[in-house]
Amino acid sequence: MAFGFSQAFRTFGKLTLAGAIGASLAAGDVGAQQNTPSPGSAKGQFGAVGLPTQGPAQPIGFYAKGCMTGAVALPTDGPTWQAMRLSRNRRWGNPAMIALLERLSQDGAKYAGWPGILVGDIAQPRGGPMLNGHASHQIGLDADIWFTPMPTRRMTAEERQDMPFTTMLQKGKFLTVDPKVWTQSHARLLMLAASYPEVERIFVNPAIKKKMCDTWTGDRTNLGKLRPEYGHDSHFHIRIKCPPGAKGCTPQAPVVAGDGCDKSLAWWFTPAPWAPPKPPKPGAKPPKPPREMMVSDLPKACAAVLDAASVASMQAATYGGSSAASALTAAPAAAPAAADDGALPDVGPVPNDKPAIQ
């Protein structure tokens, strides 16, 4: 499949710009800009809560505008997974998501030749907007999986906090997968994740989507679930459907039919997604900065979620019971993570006219 790289980027004037963009994407797993949250802001209030609510698990609202009740924590360790960046306290999710992650880790080792998964951010204890790093991950139905395979030993909390990400992109080239780091096992793990009926979408870097379109020779039925999106070069982002009976959950429009290896993917390899914003007209007033999301902007039930009683402890709310909770701990973050802490963003360096969430 050829998207006409050179022809498309002649409009830039020089192909060196493409290399510069590629280099910025290769370093794309950097923290989102961190500002001190305003009093009453949703991210400030939800980011300050340390434990989930008691009661049944319910996702409330949409993936990028909501909260959740009854979350459970992914155990920090399992035979085929390890949780990362423990100080963020973002390994909480709907039980359906946590169960899927454990299943994927086991099936990956059995069928995809993957030794185990490293799990990044899932959600905060009660969901809601995060202090940094994500627009979605608010209702416990999103999770990030590193493209780095799990090591054969149990890492310390410090190692999990400081371990660098590995981009799948080739340095100095625009949207090109690095053949030195990409393996067929990466491809098998992605297609395995896409095979589960409850999985709605998997966000990957456009270069990875193109690589899969060009090279995947197996069953392509679920290839359309792989959605190209900014960033996502060192991890992939799994999103599952609203669980059955979750009346307060707002579903996303289904993925269109087909494998996604069409003009919708070709668009990413044109100048359009990467063009800088148009300069304002002479004399025009500067645009107002985007307003911070407040709790009142979320579904009405989310205010009650903030005030609801907490579970007794993290161990009590760990998936699989308190016996599944690991003794491995990390000191809680004293302050919101700084902008250079290596967050796993939903988006990398992008123009202001980034398309709406897919």
Side-chain angles (χ1 to χ4, degrees):
M1 177 170 52
F3 292 151
F5 260 27
S6 299
Q7 183 177 1
F9 276 93
R10 284 179 190 140
T11 57
F12 276 88
K14 293 183 179 180
L15 281 173
T16 51
L17 179 59
I21 295 173
S24 70
L25 283 171
D29 274 335
V30 294
Q33 182 64 38
Q34 175 63 53
N35 297 315
T36 302
S38 303
S41 71
K43 69 178 182 180
Q45 295 201 44
F46 277 93
V49 180
L51 290 171
T53 68
Q54 300 175 12
Q58 288 291 334
I60 301 170
F62 188 63
Y63 300 90
K65 192 176 183 181
C67 59
M68 64 174 169
T69 61
V72 293
L74 176 76
T76 57
D77 294 277
T80 48
W81 78 85
Q82 293 186 40
M84 304 298 288
R85 305 299 196 251
L86 301 178
S87 68
R88 296 180 185 175
N89 198 25
R90 296 178 180 177
R91 57 189 174 95
W92 300 93
N94 186 277
M97 172 54 81
I98 305 303
L100 176 76
L101 293 174
E102 295 199 6
R103 180 184 174 190
L104 173 63
S105 75
Q106 295 161 1
D107 289 348
K110 187 175 181 180
Y111 301 115
W114 200 256
I117 61 174
L118 299 180
V119 182
D121 290 350
I122 306 172
Q124 298 175 140
R126 303 188 187 196
M130 294 184 179
L131 290 169
N132 62 359
H134 300 282
S136 58
H137 289 255
Q138 294 193 28
I139 58 175
L141 304 180
D142 296 282
D144 289 340
I145 308 297
W146 290 29
F147 279 122
T148 304
M150 187 185 82
T152 55
R153 61 181 179 81
R154 185 180 190 231
M155 291 186 289
T156 65
E158 291 74 18
E159 289 174 314
R160 298 173 198 228
Q161 190 70 21
D162 299 332
M163 182 178 178
F165 303 110
T166 300
T167 179
M168 298 292 105
L169 301 186
Q170 193 165 349
K171 186 177 181 180
K173 290 191 176 182
F174 176 75
L175 290 185
T176 301
V177 170
D178 189 345
K180 295 181 180 179
V181 296
W182 181 261
T183 68
Q184 191 60 24
S185 290
H186 287 94
R188 287 195 295 265
L189 183 66
L190 280 174
M191 293 307 292
L192 173 64
S195 71
Y196 300 125
E198 61 266 44
V199 171
E200 175 112 312
R201 284 166 168 77
I202 298 177
F203 296 104
V204 295
N205 185 273
I208 294 173
K209 172 67 178 186
K210 182 178 184 297
K211 183 72 171 179
M212 294 296 294
C213 288
D214 290 348
T215 62
W216 184 253
T217 58
D219 183 357
R220 296 170 74 92
T221 303
N222 295 304
L223 188 56
K225 290 184 181 183
L226 303 187
R227 311 303 298 169
E229 182 58 284
Y230 297 98
H232 296 89
D233 56 289
S234 61
H235 74 284
F236 61 97
H237 172 166
I238 296 179
R239 173 168 295 168
I240 65 173
K241 301 174 183 178
C242 292
K247 295 181 180 179
C249 183
T250 303
Q252 189 168 4
V255 172
V256 297
D259 60 11
C261 304
D262 51 20
K263 63 181 181 181
S264 64
L265 176 58
W267 177 81
W268 289 94
F269 295 84
T270 71
W274 319 102
K278 294 181 179 180
K281 294 181 179 180
K285 293 182 179 180
K288 294 182 179 180
R291 188 176 69 86
E292 216 172 344
M293 185 179 291
M294 309 301 283
V295 174
S296 58
D297 296 320
L298 301 175
K300 291 182 179 180
C302 290
V305 169
L306 280 172
D307 295 333
S310 300
V311 295
S313 66
M314 181 179 292
Q315 289 75 18
T318 297
Y319 186 76
S322 58
S323 61
S326 170
L328 182 66
T329 59
D340 61 352
D341 75 340
L344 282 170
D346 273 357
V347 298
V350 298
N352 290 343
D353 57 345
K354 175 186 162 315
I357 187 170
Q358 291 192 10

